[in-house]
Amino acid sequence: MAGKKKLNKMRKREAKIGYAFISVWLVGLIFLFLRPLAMAFYYAFQEMSITAEGMTYKFIGLENFIYKFRDDIYFFDSTVWPGLSKFVIEVPICVIFSLFIAIVLNQKFKGRTFARALFFLPVIITSGIAIQVLRSYGLDTSMETENTYLFASNGVADILSNAGLPMGIVDVFTQISNRIFDIVWMSGIQIILYLSGLQGIPAAEYEAAQIEGATAWECFWKITWVRISPITLVVVVYSLIDSFTNVSNVMIKFIYEEYSLRGNLGGSSALGLSYCLVAFLIIIVVYAVTAKHVFYVNEA
């Protein structure tokens, strides 16, 4: 009985500590997020107009949503499909690159601490501002702003096309090579997550596998991948959220321009809510699919 009371006190103390940790987030949610969210819902169903008396709003129902998703014939071709194709290419490459770099940084070599700090440097720097400054001094400024890369590899497209590959494959490899700097820039957190997971794998498991004659390839798939699969789930979800909220995202730019340049507050609110809903659904689907391939090792 005394042990049960002690356990309950410990759980209450842990709960208080937990609430203390999330208190800052709760304050931000209540005072900085809920009010703008409620206003966005209100504006999404309104038509804004400027009169002599000031700003006036007229309820128009779903017209803001219908116009963009049914009547605007350029919306999907210029914004939606390019944005989705970017996610499909960028997120897997970011996850694979983060895992590869984490495995390299987990090895013992001279300058390992400096190398780890180098890959984590973009996280320390104010990423949104710094990346825009670096882009402004990029080597390739002949294209539009959203397609301007710091290191553009125009020769890759020529080599692959001359090799006889289809243009669809050439475009994919060109986008990947052009976005190498961006992928490195946005992979700092993922590398740290993978590195922590790799350092938590007991060395005895590798020693036992090597004694049994397992190759390095077999050790990776039978030990490393199994052990870090929960980390992979976190990395995939984090990479998706990071891509959806990135300031260089074509959808975020379009939503911002819809209000700032065209003055369409209702349309931009409708697009923002739709974008959040689609992003949430995609994250849920990817989470559900990825979670099926996660293995949790019972240490007991």
Side-chain angles (χ1 to χ4, degrees):
M1 191 67 179
K4 189 175 181 179
K5 289 183 177 179
K6 185 177 180 180
L7 181 62
N8 291 333
K9 289 182 179 180
M10 184 176 65
R11 288 178 176 175
K12 289 181 180 179
R13 184 167 60 251
E14 291 177 350
K16 291 180 180 179
I17 295 174
Y19 284 123
F21 272 105
I22 67 172
S23 60
V24 177
W25 177 83
L26 287 175
V27 171
L29 175 67
I30 295 172
F31 294 100
L32 301 178
F33 181 75
L34 290 183
R35 183 174 180 272
L37 180 63
M39 293 175 64
F41 272 102
Y42 174 76
Y43 293 144
F45 301 97
Q46 306 290 326
E47 181 182 10
M48 182 183 67
S49 58
I50 301 176
T51 63
E53 291 78 15
M55 200 80 68
T56 60
Y57 301 94
K58 177 184 176 183
F59 180 77
I60 57 174
L62 298 175
E63 289 299 321
N64 287 322
F65 296 90
I66 294 173
Y67 173 73
K68 283 300 177 186
F69 291 96
R70 189 189 67 181
D71 300 334
D72 191 348
I73 59 176
Y74 301 105
F75 175 62
F76 281 92
D77 292 335
S78 63
T79 306
V80 176
W81 302 133
L84 291 178
S85 63
K86 177 185 175 182
F87 297 143
V88 171
I89 296 173
E90 189 176 86
V91 173
I93 294 299
C94 183
V95 173
I96 295 172
F97 173 80
S98 302
L99 177 58
F100 172 76
I101 296 298
I103 292 175
V104 173
L105 295 179
N106 196 42
Q107 308 300 317
K108 294 182 179 180
F109 58 90
K110 291 184 178 180
R112 182 175 64 173
T113 303
F114 173 77
R116 290 178 177 178
L118 186 65
F119 279 99
F120 193 68
L121 187 63
V123 181
I124 302 174
I125 301 174
T126 307
S127 302
I129 298 175
I131 192 65
Q132 296 300 325
V133 173
L134 290 172
R135 281 181 182 277
S136 65
Y137 291 97
L139 300 180
D140 186 3
T141 58
S142 60
M143 293 175 287
E144 296 180 1
T145 304
E146 61 267 20
N147 295 323
T148 302
Y149 307 104
L150 186 63
F151 301 107
S153 53
N154 297 325
V156 173
D158 297 333
I159 295 173
L160 295 178
S161 59
N162 292 334
L165 293 176
M167 287 306 300
I169 298 178
V170 173
D171 290 340
V172 171
F173 278 97
T174 303
Q175 290 183 39
I176 293 174
S177 59
N178 285 340
R179 295 187 60 80
I180 286 178
F181 179 83
D182 291 341
I183 292 173
V184 174
W185 188 269
M186 62 188 298
S187 299
I189 296 294
Q190 293 90 321
I191 293 173
I192 296 298
L193 290 173
Y194 270 132
L195 193 58
S196 65
L198 292 171
Q199 292 176 345
I201 301 177
E205 294 186 4
Y206 291 108
E207 295 175 358
Q210 291 172 357
I211 292 174
E212 294 295 330
T215 63
W217 184 252
E218 291 172 335
C219 287
F220 173 79
W221 288 109
K222 301 296 183 181
I223 299 176
T224 306
W225 181 250
V226 173
R227 282 284 189 171
I228 65 172
S229 58
I231 302 295
T232 300
L233 178 60
V234 176
V235 168
V236 169
V237 173
Y238 177 86
S239 300
L240 276 173
I241 296 174
D242 188 49
S243 296
F244 278 122
T245 58
N246 196 294
V247 293
S248 64
N249 188 299
V250 64
M251 275 299 300
I252 292 181
K253 286 185 176 181
F254 185 85
I255 293 170
Y256 173 75
E257 292 174 356
E258 187 72 14
Y259 169 66
S260 62
L261 299 182
R262 305 177 186 90
N264 188 3
L265 180 58
S268 62
S269 299
L271 285 175
L273 293 175
S274 302
Y275 178 69
C276 291
L277 178 60
V278 172
F280 179 76
L281 293 176
I282 292 176
I283 292 172
I284 292 297
V285 171
V286 173
Y287 175 85
V289 174
T290 308
K292 294 182 179 180
H293 303 282
V294 173
F295 305 92
Y296 295 98
V297 180
N298 187 3
E299 298 294 346

